Amino acid sequence: MGQPSTGKLAANVGEIAREARIRSGLTQADVAERVGLATEVYGRLERGRMLPSVPSLRRLCIALRTPSDTFLGLNTGEVATWVAESSPPEYEEVPELRRLMRTLRKLDASQLKLIGLVAAALQKR
């Protein structure tokens, strides 16, 4: 994941954690203790300045009774901005092109050169 996407994801995780903590009537120290983090570290997480490790995210989900999909912004019916911005361009290509790219990656240099010549000839048609 690139840095801008990571920042947006961290902000989303922090916002959801803060809302869930307040809704549960817990302090940052309460949640930090349940998750196994220092209170200062949990505070940085809530402010969107860091992402939890996977084990910490799991413990956070349990402590705040919030599904991981909510933290990741995946259960809204919309594509989260951090997901849309971090999708590699090849995911948006047509299936035939992705299949061709997988095949091309297995070829050696001379085979790739030959395919390039064939493609150029087809393009001229």
Side-chain angles (χ1 to χ4, degrees):
M1 238 185 292
Q3 188 57 34
S5 302
T6 302
K8 288 185 179 190
L9 175 57
N12 188 70
V13 168
E15 180 182 338
I16 297 298
R18 182 175 186 278
E19 290 171 0
R21 174 181 62 79
I22 291 169
R23 197 171 41 252
S24 298
L26 300 169
T27 66
Q28 284 188 346
D30 294 332
V31 177
E33 182 180 359
R34 292 175 186 193
V35 176
L37 298 173
T39 303
E40 298 78 21
V41 172
Y42 178 76
R44 283 198 309 268
L45 183 144
E46 245 188 44
R47 288 189 299 279
R49 296 206 173 126
M50 66 170 283
L51 284 168
S53 66
V54 172
S56 292
L57 177 61
R58 182 177 183 277
R59 290 188 303 269
L60 188 63
C61 292
I62 293 167
L64 295 174
R65 294 187 173 111
T66 304
S68 58
D69 284 359
T70 301
F71 283 107
L72 300 175
L74 298 175
N75 66 346
T76 63
E78 303 173 2
V79 176
T81 56
W82 68 266
V83 173
E85 292 176 3
S86 64
S87 295
E90 62 266 19
Y91 288 171
E92 297 167 11
E93 295 170 347
V94 295
E96 294 81 7
L97 186 54
R98 289 193 307 264
R99 235 182 337 270
L100 177 60
M101 289 300 293
R102 281 193 298 274
T103 302
L104 291 174
R105 286 185 187 103
K106 297 174 187 173
L107 301 179
D108 64 30
S110 63
Q111 292 170 319
L112 282 173
K113 185 175 181 178
L114 181 59
I115 294 294
L117 292 172
V118 171
L122 288 172
Q123 202 173 24
K124 291 179 183 177
R125 294 177 83 201

